[in-house]
Amino acid sequence: MRTRPLKVALLGCGVVGSEVARIMTTHADDLAARIGAPVELAGVAVRRPSKVRAGIPPELITTDATALVKRGDIDVVVEVIGGIEPARTLITTAFEHGASVVSANKALLAQEGQSLYAAAEQHGRDLYYEAAVAGAIPLIRPLRESLAGDKVNRVLGIVNGTTNFILDKMDTSGAGYSEALDEATALGYAEADPTADVEGFDAAAKAAILAGIAFHTRVRLDDVYREGMTEVTAADFASAKRMGCTIKLLAICERAADGGSVTARVHPAMIPLSHPLASVRGAYNAVFVEADAAGQLMFYGPGAGGSPTASAVLGDLVAVCRNRLNEATGPGESAYTQLPVSPMGDVVTRYHISLDVADKPGVLAQVATVFAEHGVSIDTVRQQGKDGEASLVVVTHRAPDAALSGTVEALRKLDTVRGVASIMRVEGE
């Protein structure tokens, strides 16, 4: 074993960063044995130096992150501060000064992955980011290494624990959205401002990363279609149960049937109870992968939190340190297919549409005519009426999303349609 330690700079010491530092200290001997050399925490960049950080010597704390990554003796920089800046500049500076990087920054990777990969390659350094998607669940490495010889066709997953907890609570207890969100906040699953989670921004960043790796093409955050889950109601869950389904906020990345394009999207969807993702409860994450040779694979586990995320960071740290010892680098960007990302309107989906309509003869015929005029085939219809008003629930066969959206807009213009109570896609079949 080499006796000279590999030096690590830690950018950020919050929930995840402090856990990374703790594991590095308490498991130092094991990490050294696995890597082949000791690993030394050489500096920790923070915003509030006065805060007491148990187990971290005060002399390691600095507010000058730029000076830390420029030191020249740093082997690996671990970035867990999040956001675009200053993280982007700090990472590229680390590469320029000879350090490899381990990051948990999904937003930055989804938006600037191409430039970060290019900087890493230019300077002959590693960029690893297992912790950026689904916390402790091994997912990035299996996609870009274990399945590197296979053709991945679809990645379908629950990649945000907050939204899954809220939807699961609505499903199992009958709670409304606001009530379930309040409970998630009280338990620490939801931030004071939950927008990034409940509006799908967090999941969209992860979808961009997954699609890029799975399909060997460049997918940016702006390429991902996104819908939040704030409009999901208890009535939607009741409808889902009647169909033998539940509702999840899904990240869906697909290769087109002809192989000429890809799509990436995030939205709430009804999913059959028979699908493995339907049984994912609480704040857990799970990702379902479909590949030509491997078939169907499912990755499941805790998707967030200090310890799970730190576990993924440390796994990357071990891999990068081994590469440093061997004077090698791991896999970089694979974007050779250069496939275009199709807009949401081209995606073929199914719809569950609930309409409030007048309870009189001919309404169903009018509605069916609108579907036919837009080339959308109806799978099932259910109608209930009382006191001159009725509820009409239509489930479609698969059709281009643009055709389905056009159908809904045309339905809104019918005199006999009082309103569109809910619209939801049906997935996982």
Side-chain angles (χ1 to χ4, degrees):
M1 178 185 293
R2 192 180 88 165
T3 56
R4 183 171 66 83
L6 292 159
K7 295 188 176 183
V8 177
L10 179 61
L11 307 182
C13 199
V15 173
V16 176
S18 59
E19 189 66 7
V20 169
R22 183 192 69 79
I23 295 173
M24 286 184 63
T25 302
T26 58
H27 295 178
D29 291 342
D30 286 338
L31 289 172
R34 294 166 191 170
I35 292 168
V39 179
E40 174 188 316
L41 187 60
V44 182
V46 300
R47 284 185 298 176
R48 294 184 293 274
S50 60
K51 181 180 178 181
V52 177
R53 293 171 172 85
I56 300 178
E59 63 269 19
L60 294 184
I61 301 296
T62 178
T63 58
D64 193 343
T66 301
L68 179 59
V69 300
K70 282 184 173 181
R71 273 178 38 174
D73 65 336
I74 300 297
D75 294 287
V76 184
V77 169
V78 174
E79 182 271 311
V80 288
I81 56 178
I84 305 303
E85 289 291 358
R88 173 174 52 188
T89 299
L90 290 170
I91 288 174
T92 55
T93 302
F95 290 140
E96 291 166 1
H97 287 78
S100 290
V101 173
V102 173
S103 176
N105 195 331
K106 54 188 172 288
L108 178 59
L109 288 158
Q111 185 168 312
E112 299 293 337
Q114 179 183 349
S115 62
L116 295 180
Y117 268 126
E121 182 178 3
Q122 178 184 353
H123 297 285
R125 292 295 177 251
D126 275 323
L127 173 63
Y128 276 53
Y129 48 90
E130 184 68 63
V133 180
I137 304 172
L139 185 59
I140 301 299
R141 193 172 288 113
L143 280 174
R144 73 175 186 172
E145 296 181 28
S146 303
L147 294 173
D150 206 343
K151 180 183 177 184
V152 176
N153 296 309
R154 195 171 196 235
V155 180
L156 173 75
I158 299 163
V159 294
N160 183 280
T162 300
T163 56
N164 200 57
F165 178 88
I166 293 170
L167 292 173
D168 184 42
K169 182 59 62 173
M170 293 175 69
D171 184 23
T172 56
S173 71
Y177 168 77
S178 297
E179 183 182 352
L181 174 59
D182 288 344
E183 182 171 351
T185 304
L187 292 172
Y189 292 128
E191 301 286 347
D193 180 2
T195 302
D197 295 323
V198 300
E199 293 295 349
F201 291 101
D202 176 85
K206 295 170 182 176
I209 294 170
L210 291 174
I213 297 171
F215 307 133
H216 303 278
T217 196
R218 287 174 180 153
V219 180
R220 289 171 51 88
L221 180 58
D222 293 344
D223 295 322
V224 181
Y225 174 83
R226 177 193 56 80
E227 282 182 24
M229 47 157 281
T230 57
E231 301 300 318
V232 177
T233 66
D236 291 325
F237 274 100
S239 294
K241 287 181 179 179
R242 282 192 287 268
M243 290 178 59
C245 293
T246 188
I247 298 172
K248 300 291 186 182
L249 185 75
L250 298 177
I252 306 169
C253 311
E254 293 179 304
R255 189 191 299 268
D258 63 4
S261 64
V262 300
T263 59
R265 50 196 166 103
V266 169
H267 54 72
M270 294 183 179
I271 187 169
L273 295 175
S274 57
H275 194 282
L277 291 178
S279 62
V280 178
R281 300 296 185 187
Y284 275 71
N285 285 190
V287 177
F288 199 73
V289 177
E290 300 175 9
D292 273 1
Q296 297 179 333
L297 306 170
M298 182 161 153
F299 302 84
Y300 169 85
S307 293
T309 306
S311 172
V313 170
L314 266 294
D316 278 351
L317 179 62
V318 169
V320 170
C321 285
R322 287 171 175 168
N323 289 343
R324 290 301 296 253
L325 288 180
N326 294 321
E327 298 183 352
T329 55
E333 183 185 32
S334 176
Y336 71 92
T337 62
Q338 299 183 19
L339 296 172
V341 182
S342 295
M344 186 62 193
D346 293 345
V347 175
V348 177
T349 63
R350 296 180 68 199
Y351 265 25
H352 175 283
I353 305 169
S354 180
L355 304 171
D356 295 325
V357 300
D359 186 17
K360 62 182 184 180
V363 172
L364 180 56
Q366 284 185 323
V367 169
T369 297
V370 170
F371 277 89
E373 288 173 347
H374 287 80
V376 178
S377 177
I378 294 175
D379 183 12
T380 62
V381 177
R382 186 179 70 253
Q383 183 174 0
Q384 277 186 308
K386 185 178 180 181
D387 299 329
E389 298 294 329
S391 173
L392 186 65
V393 176
V394 178
V395 179
T396 72
H397 285 291
R398 291 169 62 83
D401 199 80
L404 290 163
S405 298
T407 302
V408 172
E409 290 307 308
L411 289 171
R412 294 182 193 275
K413 297 175 182 178
L414 291 178
D415 292 339
T416 52
V417 174
R418 310 295 192 220
V420 179
S422 70
I423 309 167
M424 191 166 297
R425 296 174 182 86
V426 182
E427 298 287 346
E429 295 177 292

